[in-house]
Amino acid sequence: MLRVFLATTNIFVSLVVGALAMGIVWYLAPDTMQSFFQSASGLKGWLTNLGIEPKYNNFIWFLIEERQLVFMGFVVATRVIFAILAAIFIAPFTEAV
């Protein structure tokens, strides 16, 4: 049960910290944020022009937005950073096999 709690907490904290990081970048580096949105727009264009059947392609057009892609990028980056930090801080307490 502890593992489920820790995993859920990690996901929730990653979402919150990712949103905060996105807000900080938005405020302090608007040019960088604009380039993130332009890259996300390019990714959306690439995904929707893969030649997928229209029934699925319309679903992709409906679901994917540039804001979502940028936010997912920040959340994934936050999770990677948390995983690295956890590995660094947990390593001294684990026994080498």
Side-chain angles (χ1 to χ4, degrees):
M1 190 67 183
L2 179 63
R3 286 185 148 207
V4 172
F5 174 73
L6 290 175
T8 306
T9 303
N10 184 4
I11 292 170
F12 177 73
V13 171
S14 296
L15 287 170
V16 172
V17 173
L20 289 173
M22 186 173 167
I24 290 169
V25 171
W26 192 311
Y27 183 73
L28 296 178
D31 294 336
T32 303
M33 193 56 123
Q34 184 176 7
S35 70
F36 286 160
F37 282 123
Q38 288 171 346
S39 298
S41 178
L43 179 63
K44 178 182 178 179
W46 177 75
L47 284 172
T48 55
N49 290 323
L50 286 175
I52 300 173
E53 206 176 314
K55 139 172 110 170
Y56 301 116
N57 204 24
N58 289 334
F59 194 65
I60 292 173
W61 271 100
F62 177 72
L63 286 181
I64 296 179
E65 292 184 21
E66 289 81 3
R67 295 174 300 196
Q68 293 171 342
L69 290 173
V70 173
F71 180 60
M72 283 191 298
F74 275 97
V75 171
V76 168
T78 303
R79 296 213 51 192
V80 168
I81 291 170
F82 282 165
I84 291 170
L85 290 175
I88 290 171
F89 288 116
I90 291 174
F93 301 106
T94 58
E95 169 179 335
V97 176

